[in-house]
Amino acid sequence: MDLHTAEATDQLLGDADIPPVHEVNAEGTSPFLLTADHYGRILPRSLGDLGVSESELVRHIAWDIGIAGVAERMAEMLDAHLIAQRYSRLVIDCNRPPGVASSIPVISEATRVPRNEGLSDGERAARRREIFEPYHHRINAAIDRRIHAKRPTILLSLHSFTPVYAGVARPWHIGALYHRDKVLPQLLLKHLRSEGDLVVGDNEPYAASDLTDYTIPVHGEARGLVNTGIEIRQDLIADQSGQQQWAERLARIFAEIEVELKPALLVG
């Protein structure tokens, strides 16, 4: 069987599965476009539990804990468009370039994902075709529409991170992530540090790159948008109270940043 035949027969999502793309406030007037690559932890019915226990599927390896609540609230407070991805990063990671090992992980941290082992080309293609591509095509379409309408667009890629990784504690409350474009990250870092009660990460807990990220390099940098990645420590946003507090803080900060960017002719 050739690849094209395999792609045609290896269907991932069925009629009972929900679409991968979730949107909030698509007609929002804000220059900010919010994305959440790891918003959800749903698994396609055809994959069962991936061979992974429920206690593992609620951990960070499956999704960005707390970011859904923050993103939804920020979209409302900023009147911004949010585009999010509902399926677990264990099915396919929508913030990894397709083809890299971490795109469809066989092991995530120390957890084996048996259903990801020995996948055929057709199975891999189905995950890209039915989850990864609809999500990123939707982001592309939203950016195209905004550019055509001559609307300023500032990309915010929202994520959360674990308090401890590989046995090492991470002290940061929040980090700004970037690669080539440093304009917005530096403004964000300045505002976060001025809060006075935060440990702020500059490209921490990791730095963005073409090999480890997709949304910022492809939708932000390649399209010439002012952009930043945002990582919030997940224990701070694990409940609704924390999500509300962080959404309010970030909405206030980005409203101030929007005013600062206008004189620099980056928006408006």
Side-chain angles (χ1 to χ4, degrees), residues 94-152:
C94 286
N95 193 37
R96 296 291 183 273
V100 302
S102 57
S103 170
I104 303 177
V106 174
I107 297 178
S108 184
E109 296 182 15
T111 301
R112 282 184 59 240
V113 188
R115 189 61 181 80
N116 287 353
E117 297 174 359
L119 296 181
S120 68
D121 289 343
E123 288 173 310
R124 291 182 178 277
R127 297 191 191 192
R128 290 195 302 271
R129 182 179 65 248
E130 298 183 43
I131 294 177
F132 183 94
E133 290 176 3
Y135 174 60
H136 288 291
H137 287 167
R138 183 65 192 103
I139 297 172
N140 263 329
I143 294 171
D144 286 344
R145 179 184 176 192
R146 296 172 74 104
I147 290 174
H148 180 75
K150 302 188 184 307
R151 288 187 57 192

Side-chain angles (χ1 to χ4, degrees), residues 27-241:
E27 301 303 320
T29 61
S30 170
F32 295 108
L33 174 62
L34 313 182
T35 62
D37 307 324
H38 306 139
Y39 173 100
R41 64 179 188 92
I42 296 171
L43 300 177
R45 291 171 180 258
S46 63
L47 299 182
D49 60 8
L50 291 172
V52 178
S53 69
E54 179 64 19
S55 63
E56 293 290 286
L57 291 173
V58 298
R59 294 180 53 227
H60 182 78
I61 63 169
W63 64 328
D64 277 2
I65 293 169
I67 208 62
V70 175
E72 298 252 0
R73 289 168 171 82
M74 285 181 64
E76 179 181 354
M77 293 173 190
L78 290 169
D79 191 25
H81 185 188
L82 165 65
I83 303 175
Q85 202 288 114
R86 291 184 169 114
Y87 283 91
S88 173
R89 69 203 307 171
L90 294 178
V91 179
I92 186 166
D93 193 321
C94 286
N95 193 37
R96 296 291 183 273
V100 302
S102 57
S103 170
I104 303 177
V106 174
I107 297 178
S108 184
E109 296 182 15
T111 301
R112 282 184 59 240
V113 188
R115 189 61 181 80
N116 287 353
E117 297 174 359
L119 296 181
S120 68
D121 289 343
E123 288 173 310
R124 291 182 178 277
R127 297 191 191 192
R128 290 195 302 271
R129 182 179 65 248
E130 298 183 43
I131 294 177
F132 183 94
E133 290 176 3
Y135 174 60
H136 288 291
H137 287 167
R138 183 65 192 103
I139 297 172
N140 263 329
I143 294 171
D144 286 344
R145 179 184 176 192
R146 296 172 74 104
I147 290 174
H148 180 75
K150 302 188 184 307
R151 288 187 57 192
T153 301
I154 305 169
L155 179 65
L156 305 182
S157 179
L158 304 174
H159 295 266
S160 69
F161 67 95
T162 57
V164 178
Y165 183 77
V168 179
R170 291 159 147 182
W172 312 284
H173 297 109
I174 187 171
L177 272 56
Y178 55 91
H179 187 23
R180 299 173 185 88
D181 184 359
K182 301 178 183 179
V183 173
L184 181 54
Q186 293 306 316
L187 275 176
L188 177 57
L189 288 169
K190 179 189 74 172
H191 278 266
L192 290 171
R193 288 167 177 155
S194 71
E195 294 285 286
D197 62 341
L198 299 177
V199 179
V200 180
D202 183 343
N203 255 347
E204 299 287 0
Y206 70 92
S209 77
D210 294 334
L211 297 178
T212 59
D213 296 82
Y214 191 89
T215 298
I216 287 176
V218 172
H219 298 298
E221 294 177 337
R223 306 217 51 181
L225 301 183
V226 175
N227 69 89
T228 191
I230 298 167
E231 289 272 359
I232 307 170
R233 208 175 68 205
Q234 68 182 39
D235 58 311
L236 304 176
I237 54 173
D239 59 28
Q240 292 194 18
S241 175

Side-chain angles (χ1 to χ4, degrees), residues 239-251:
D239 59 28
Q240 292 194 18
S241 175
Q243 293 160 19
Q244 180 71 22
Q245 290 172 24
W246 274 92
E248 289 175 353
R249 189 195 293 250
L250 288 173

